[in-house]
C-alpha cells in the first residue's frame, strides 16, 4: 500500500515537471524517455501524458491552421497591403472569419488560458486580424455607399406655392414702395415628403458582410475601433448629402452677413434639407446601425448619435442664426416655414435620439424651434407697428390704390396659410395689439370669439385704414380724397371677401366696410358737383321773359358748362381701377346731375328758341375719358 502511494507521488511529480516546462510535443516525448531510463515505473507516464495531452495537441493544430490564415493576410506584408479580402475572394473572406472565430474560441477556452505562449500568439493573431477587419470594414462601407439621388428624392416631393397676382405687388420692405410697384411675387412654401420615401444608404448585399465583421470586432473587444471607423465614414457621407441638398457649413456671423435674396434661397434649401435629413437620411442611418450592431443596444445607440449629431447641429446652428438675426417683414414667411418644419419633425427626432446620449440634440432642437417661434411673432408685431407708422408723404397719382395697401393685403392673405402656427404662437405670447387695446375704431365685432391671429389681423387692417385716411389728406382736392379712399377700401374688402380672410373677419366686417365705401361715394359727389349744381338753382334769375332774366339764364348755363369743363379737365386723370365701382360712380353722377339739369331746363327755357337750347343744353361729365380705361367714361347731356 505504501509502495503504491509512493509510486503515485513519483508519477505526479514527473508529470508536473513535463507540463510545467510547456515544451513542444517532440521535446515532451524525449523527456518521458529520459525519465523512463532512470526508473522503470516512469515508463507509465507516457500513456498518462498521452491521454491528458491529446486535447492540447489537437488544439495546437487548430490554432496553427487559423493563425496561418490570418498571417497570410497580414497588412504589414507588401503582398497583402493593397489587397481587399472581401473584394477579391468571398470564399477566402469566409475562411478568414472562420479562422478568427477559431482563435477567439480557443482564447475563451479555459484549458489553454494557462498556456502563456499559446495565449500570446493568439492575442497577436487577434490584433493582426482586427487591423485587417478594420480596413476591410472601412473599405466595404465606402465602396458600397449609395450616393443621395436628389432628383429621385425631389420627384417624390409635393410642392406647395403661394403667389400674388402678377400685378398685385411684391413683398419687399415697406418704405421702398414706389408708384410702379407691379412686380409679381411667389412664395414657395417648400416641399412635403411622402410617407413612403425611403432610400438605401448602403447596398443591401453589403450589410451582411459589414455585420459579420462588426460581430467579430465587438466579440474581440474592439467595439471602439469599429464604431470609430463607422462614424468617420458615415459622417463624411451625411456631410456630402447635406452638400447635395444645398446646405453649407456657415457660422452664425456668416449667416448674419448674407444679403436677403441669397439668404432666402438658403432658408428654402434648409427647410427642404431638414425634411430629407430627419425623415429619410437619419431614419435610414438609424436602421443601418440597428442592423450592424443589433447585438448591443449601447453600441448601436452611441454609433448612431456620434454619426448623426454633427449634421443635426449644423442644421440647428443655421436655424439659431435666423432666429436671432435682424427682423424684417420679408423674412416672416420663411421663418414660419422653418418653425413649422421643426414642429413637424421634432417627434421623429425624439424617436431617433431617444437614448440619454441623444437628449442634448433634442433639447437643442426644441430651443431653436422656440427661438424661431419668438422671432416669427416679434416680426409680425413689428410689421403691424410698421404699417401703423408708415409715413410716406407722396400722394399717389390719380387717387389710385396705394402700394402699401397692395403690400399689406397680399402679405396678410399669404399669412392666413399659417393660421394654425400663428394662433398657437400668439396664444402663448403676451403680445397684444395696441390698436385693439385702444379700440378707437370699434367694428362691433365679438373679439372674444375671434382667434388670436384674427384679432391681430383686425388690428393690422385698422392700422392700414387709419394710415390711408391720413394719406388721403395729402390731396388738396377733397373729391380725390374720397376717390382714393374708395379705391383702397374696396381693394381691402375684395381681398378679404375673396380669400380665407373673410372667414377670419366675418361677413359683418365686410358689410360694414362696404357701407363705408358708399359713404365715401356720397362725400365724393358732394365735393365734386356741389359747385356745378349750384348753377342750376332758380334764385336770382327772375321771370323768364325779361331781358335781364335771359341774361342771367345765359350766365347760369355758361357757369354750369364751365364747371363741367373744369371737372372734366381735373378728373380725367383720376383712376378707378375696379370696373364695378367705376360704373356705380357713373350711375351716381347721372342720378344726381341729370335730373337737376332737366328740372332747371324745364323751368327756365320754355320760351327760348330751339337753337339757343342746343347751345346751353350740352355738357360733359367725364373722369378719365379717352385717356384711361380705368376712368369714368363721359356722359353727354344733349337734351335738345
Amino acid at each position: 500500500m505504501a509502495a503504491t502511494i509512493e509510486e503515485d507521488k513519483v508519477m505526479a511529480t514527473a508529470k508536473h515537471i513535463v507540463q510545467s516546462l510547456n515544451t513542444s510535443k517532440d521535446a515532451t516525448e524525449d523527456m518521458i524517455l529520459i525519465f523512463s531510463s532512470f526508473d522503470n515505473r516512469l515508463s507509465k507516464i507516457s500513456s498518462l501524458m498521452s491521454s491528458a495531452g491529446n486535447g492540447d495537441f489537437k488544439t495546437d493544430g487548430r490554432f496553427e491552421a487559423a493563425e496561418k490564415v490570418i498571417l497570410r493576410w497580414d497588412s504589414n506584408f507588401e503582398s497583402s497591403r493593397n489587397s481587399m479580402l472581401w473584394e477579391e475572394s468571398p470564399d477566402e473572406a469566409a475562411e478568414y472569419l472562420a479562422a478568427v472565430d477559431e482563435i477567439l474560441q480557443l482564447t475563451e477556452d479555459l484549458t489553454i488560458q494557462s498556456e502563456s505562449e499559446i495565449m500570446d500568439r493568439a492575442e497577436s493573431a487577434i490584433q493582426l486580424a482586427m487591423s485587417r477587419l478594420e480596413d476591410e470594414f472601412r473599405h466595404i462601407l465606402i465602396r458600397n455607399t449609395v450616393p443621395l439621388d436628389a432628383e429621385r428624392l425631389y420627384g417624390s416631393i409635393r410642392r406647395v406655392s403661394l403667389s400674388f397676382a402678377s400685378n398685385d405687388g411684391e413683398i419687399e420692405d415697406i418704405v421702398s414702395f414706389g408708384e410702379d410697384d407691379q412686380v409679381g411675387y411667389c412664395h414657395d412654401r417648400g416641399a412635403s415628403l411622402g410617407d413612403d420615401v425611403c432610400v438605401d444608404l448602403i447596398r443591401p448585399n453589403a450589410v451582411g458582410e459589414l455585420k459579420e465583421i462588426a460581430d467579430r470586432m465587438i466579440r474581440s473587444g474592439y467595439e471602439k475601433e469599429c464604431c470609430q471607423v463607422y462614424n468617420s465614414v458615415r459622417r463624411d457621407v451625411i456631410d456630402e448629402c447635406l452638400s447635395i441638398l444645398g446646405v453649407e457649413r456657415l457660422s452664425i456671423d456668416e449667416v448674419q452677413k448674407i444679403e436677403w435674396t441669397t439668404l432666402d434661397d438658403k432658408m428654402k434649401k434648409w427647410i427642404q434639407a431638414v425634411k430629407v435629413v430627419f425623415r429619410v437620411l437619419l431614419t435610414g442611418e438609424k436602421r443601418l446601425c440597428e442592423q450592424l450592431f443589433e447585438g448591443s443596444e449601447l453600441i448601436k445607440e452611441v454609433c448612431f448619435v456620434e454619426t448623426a449629431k454633427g449634421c443635426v447641429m449644423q442644421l440647428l446652428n443655421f436655424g439659431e442664426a435666423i432666429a436671432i438675426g435682424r427682423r424684417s417683414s420679408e423674412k416672416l414667411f420663411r421663418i414660419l416655414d422653418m418653425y413649422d418644419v421643426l414642429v413637424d419633425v421634432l417627434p421623429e427626432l425624439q424617436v431617433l435620439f431617444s437614448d440619454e446620449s441623444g437628449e442634448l440634440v433634442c433639447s437643442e432642437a426644441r430651443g431653436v424651434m422656440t427661438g424661431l417661434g419668438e422671432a416669427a411673432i416679434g416680426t409680425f408685431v413689428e410689421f403691424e407697428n410698421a404699417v401703423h407708422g408708415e409715413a410716406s408723404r407722396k400722394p399717389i397719382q390719380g387717387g389710385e390704390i396705394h402700394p402699401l395697401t397692395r403690400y399689406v393685403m397680399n402679405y396678410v392673405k399669404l399669412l392666413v396659410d399659417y393660421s394654425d402656427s400663428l394662433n398657437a404662437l400668439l396664444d402663448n405670447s403676451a403680445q397684444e395689439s395696441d390698436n385693439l387695446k385702444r379700440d378707437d375704431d370699434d367694428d362691433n365685432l365679438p373679439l372674444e370669439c375671434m382667434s388670436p391671429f384674427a384679432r391681430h389681423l383686425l388690428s393690422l387692417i385698422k392700422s392700414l385704414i387709419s394710415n390711408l385716411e391720413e394719406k388721403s389728406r395729402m390731396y388738396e382736392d377733397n373729391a380725390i380724397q374720397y376717390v382714393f379712399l374708395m379705391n383702397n377700401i374696396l381693394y381691402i374688402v375684395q381681398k378679404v371677401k375673396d380669400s380665407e380672410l373673410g372667414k377670419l373677419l366675418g361677413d359683418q366686417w365686410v358689410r360694414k366696410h362696404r357701407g363705408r365705401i358708399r359713404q365715401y361715394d356720397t362725400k365724393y359727389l358732394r365735393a365734386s358737383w356741389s359747385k356745378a349744381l349750384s348753377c342750376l338753382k332758380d334764385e336770382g334769375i327772375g321771370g323768364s321773359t325779361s331781358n335781364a332774366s335771359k341774361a342771367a339764364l345765359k350766365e347760369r348755363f355758361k357757369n354750369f358748362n364751365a364747371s363741367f369743363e373744369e371737372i372734366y379737365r381735373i378728373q380725367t386723370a383720376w383712376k378707378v381701377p375696379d370696373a364695378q365701382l367705376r360704373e356705380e360712380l357713373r350711375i351716381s353722377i347721372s342720378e344726381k346731375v341729370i335730373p337737376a339739369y332737366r328740372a332747371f331746363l324745364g323751368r327756365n327755357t320754355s320760351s327760348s328758341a330751339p337753337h339757343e337750347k342746343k347751345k346751353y343744353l350740352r355738357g360733359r361729365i367725364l373722369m378719365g375719358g379717352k385717356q384711361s380705361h380705368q376712368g369714368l367714361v363721359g356722359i353727354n347731356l344733349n337734351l335738345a
Side-chain angles (χ1 to χ4, degrees):
M1 184 70 175
T4 304
I5 294 173
E6 183 179 349
E7 182 180 336
D8 289 342
K9 287 181 178 180
V10 170
M11 294 294 293
T13 301
K15 184 177 178 182
H16 177 71
I17 292 170
V18 173
Q19 288 179 336
S20 298
L21 291 174
N22 194 23
T23 57
S24 66
K25 180 179 179 183
D26 291 339
T28 300
E29 291 175 351
D30 291 341
M31 290 182 68
I32 291 173
L33 289 173
I34 293 170
F35 280 134
S36 298
S37 64
F38 281 106
D39 191 329
N40 289 332
R41 290 175 299 176
L42 295 177
S43 60
K44 298 178 183 179
I45 195 172
S46 178
S47 59
L48 290 172
M49 292 295 297
S50 174
S51 61
N54 280 341
D56 292 342
F57 295 144
K58 184 178 179 182
T59 297
D60 248 5
R62 286 162 39 204
F63 171 75
E64 287 177 357
E67 184 184 43
K68 186 177 179 180
V69 171
I70 290 172
L71 290 174
R72 189 166 70 241
W73 289 95
D74 184 359
S75 299
N76 293 320
F77 291 117
E78 188 68 32
S79 59
S80 302
R81 187 174 299 157
N82 299 319
S83 300
M84 288 293 116
L85 184 54
W86 267 258
E87 188 175 283
E88 294 189 3
S89 175
D91 291 339
E92 290 196 57
E95 182 188 24
Y96 193 89
L97 289 177
V100 173
D101 289 341
E102 183 67 44
I103 294 179
L104 286 173
Q105 182 62 45
L106 290 172
T107 59
E108 293 165 1
D109 188 348
L110 295 176
T111 63
I112 72 162
Q113 287 187 6
S114 62
E115 302 184 23
S116 59
E117 181 185 353
I118 295 292
M119 283 302 295
D120 289 344
R121 288 169 62 189
E123 288 174 1
S124 177
I126 289 296
Q127 287 179 358
L128 291 175
M130 293 305 107
S131 177
R132 161 61 64 176
L133 291 181
E134 184 177 321
D135 291 340
E136 295 285 347
F137 192 72
R138 180 184 292 104
H139 183 73
I140 294 171
L141 271 176
I142 294 172
R143 186 187 65 190
N144 290 281
T145 292
V146 180
L148 182 66
D149 187 351
E151 290 186 6
R152 172 178 171 267
L153 206 57
Y154 296 158
S156 69
I157 284 174
R158 299 186 294 272
R159 305 201 70 78
V160 180
S161 294
L162 303 171
S163 61
F164 293 171
S166 60
N167 65 343
D168 265 1
E170 179 181 11
I171 286 190
E172 55 185 49
D173 196 87
I174 292 178
V175 298
S176 68
F177 275 126
E179 295 177 13
D180 299 323
D181 185 49
Q182 301 291 317
V183 183
Y185 176 82
C186 178
H187 174 69
D188 185 350
R189 280 218 66 182
S192 174
L193 280 175
D195 296 331
D196 57 346
V197 178
C198 181
V199 297
D200 290 321
L201 304 176
I202 292 286
R203 292 185 181 90
N205 59 351
V207 174
E209 297 174 350
L210 291 166
K211 185 179 184 312
E212 287 180 332
I213 295 174
D215 286 346
R216 271 70 177 188
M217 294 187 73
I218 293 170
R219 183 180 171 190
S220 303
Y222 282 74
E223 63 273 8
K224 180 180 178 181
E225 288 78 3
C226 184
C227 287
Q228 286 175 341
V229 172
Y230 181 89
N231 293 338
S232 174
V233 173
R234 295 307 301 169
R235 273 198 298 261
D236 289 345
V237 171
I238 293 177
D239 286 346
E240 179 63 24
C241 290
L242 285 181
S243 179
I244 291 171
L245 294 170
V247 177
E248 303 174 52
R249 191 178 296 277
L250 299 168
S251 69
I252 290 178
D253 288 340
E254 288 172 328
V255 173
Q256 305 288 352
K257 295 174 183 177
I258 300 174
E259 58 92 18
W260 165 241
T261 304
T262 304
L263 184 60
D264 179 57
D265 184 60
K266 291 187 183 300
M267 293 168 77
K268 183 164 59 175
K269 288 177 179 176
W270 183 92
I271 292 161
Q272 184 168 291
V274 166
K275 296 172 186 176
V276 172
V277 168
F278 292 155
R279 292 182 172 163
V280 180
L281 294 183
L282 295 191
T283 300
E285 197 67 39
K286 180 88 167 182
R287 186 168 59 249
L288 181 59
C289 283
E290 290 171 346
Q291 290 173 324
L292 299 187
F293 310 111
E294 65 177 352
S296 170
E297 288 292 328
L298 177 61
I299 292 175
K300 67 185 179 184
E301 187 63 37
V302 169
C303 253
F304 171 74
V305 171
E306 290 302 311
T307 299
K309 70 178 181 181
C311 106
V312 175
M313 297 307 292
Q314 181 181 339
L315 289 168
L316 294 178
N317 285 342
F318 181 86
E320 182 183 2
I322 296 299
I324 66 177
R326 185 181 67 87
R327 294 173 182 175
S328 57
S329 57
E330 70 270 13
K331 290 182 183 178
L332 179 55
F333 299 101
R334 288 281 175 243
I335 292 174
L336 284 168
D337 286 336
M338 291 174 70
Y339 171 82
D340 282 346
V341 77
L342 281 183
V343 169
D344 290 343
V345 303
L346 188 60
E348 293 158 286
L349 187 67
Q350 290 171 328
V351 171
L352 289 171
F353 295 90
S354 56
D355 193 80
E356 183 179 348
S357 58
E359 175 56 32
L360 176 64
V361 175
C362 294
S363 176
E364 188 72 20
R366 286 190 291 270
V368 172
M369 183 185 71
T370 300
L372 287 169
E374 291 172 353
I377 293 305
T379 303
F380 183 41
V381 171
E382 286 184 15
F383 177 70
E384 291 184 66
N385 296 333
V387 170
H388 183 73
E390 200 280 323
S392 59
R393 303 304 300 169
K394 184 180 180 181
I396 300 301
Q397 187 175 3
E400 245 270 50
I401 298 168
H402 199 283
L404 177 66
T405 308
R406 295 183 186 276
Y407 176 81
V408 171
M409 294 312 299
N410 286 298
Y411 193 92
V412 298
K413 185 179 176 182
L414 289 187
L415 274 181
V416 173
D417 197 56
Y418 299 88
S419 293
D420 291 343
S421 299
L422 286 167
N423 276 325
L425 290 168
L426 288 167
D427 202 34
N428 295 325
S429 169
Q431 296 281 4
E432 184 61 86
S433 171
D434 291 338
N435 210 15
L436 284 178
K437 291 176 181 177
R438 290 192 302 266
D439 200 24
D440 54 4
D441 185 15
D442 185 16
D443 285 322
N444 295 318
L445 296 175
L447 296 181
E448 66 280 357
C449 299
M450 300 178 76
S451 68
F453 177 51
R455 290 198 297 272
H456 276 264
L457 281 182
L458 181 63
S459 165
L460 179 60
I461 295 175
K462 280 183 176 183
S463 293
L464 173 61
I465 293 174
S466 174
N467 197 321
L468 291 170
E469 289 173 342
E470 286 294 321
K471 293 185 186 304
S472 72
R473 298 185 182 100
M474 293 187 292
Y475 296 100
E476 295 182 0
D477 190 327
N478 289 340
I480 196 173
Q481 292 182 13
Y482 301 121
V483 171
F484 172 78
L485 289 171
M486 278 189 285
N487 282 332
N488 283 272
I489 301 300
L490 178 62
Y491 183 87
I492 294 170
V493 169
Q494 288 173 335
K495 285 292 181 180
V496 170
K497 184 174 67 70
D498 298 337
S499 70
E500 293 297 310
L501 289 168
K503 294 179 181 178
L504 291 172
L505 298 182
D507 293 338
Q508 182 178 341
W509 186 95
V510 173
R511 287 193 299 271
K512 179 182 186 303
H513 287 80
R514 283 198 176 280
R516 203 165 184 171
I517 295 170
R518 288 191 294 271
Q519 293 173 5
Y520 291 138
D521 182 358
T522 301
K523 292 178 179 179
Y524 157 75
L525 290 174
R526 186 180 303 118
S528 286
W529 298 98
S530 294
K531 181 179 177 181
L533 293 176
S534 67
C535 298
L536 302 179
K537 295 180 179 179
D538 293 337
E539 290 85 352
I541 295 178
S544 60
T545 57
S546 67
N547 290 333
S549 296
K550 288 181 180 181
L553 184 59
K554 288 181 180 180
E555 186 64 24
R556 287 292 180 89
F557 279 118
K558 179 181 177 182
N559 292 339
F560 182 66
N561 282 335
S563 294
F564 268 148
E565 292 299 326
E566 182 69 8
I567 290 171
Y568 172 77
R569 184 185 66 79
I570 294 173
Q571 298 190 9
T572 189
W574 296 1
K575 295 180 180 180
V576 181
D578 184 77
Q580 183 177 346
L581 178 60
R582 197 160 60 239
E583 185 60 28
E584 288 174 356
L585 281 174
R586 291 175 190 154
I587 292 170
S588 296
I589 295 168
S590 298
E591 289 177 347
K592 187 170 186 70
V593 177
I594 291 176
Y597 191 96
R598 281 177 170 162
F600 182 75
L601 181 68
R603 291 193 303 272
N604 295 291
T605 62
S606 58
S607 60
S608 299
H611 68 278
E612 289 176 322
K613 291 181 184 180
K614 291 181 181 180
K615 182 187 299 184
Y616 302 125
L617 307 183
R618 191 180 304 273
R620 293 183 299 177
I621 307 174
L622 295 111
M623 287 198 307
K626 297 178 181 179
Q627 297 183 18
S628 173
H629 69 281
Q630 295 180 348
L632 293 180
V633 177
I635 301 172
N636 280 331
L637 299 182
N638 189 352
L639 306 181

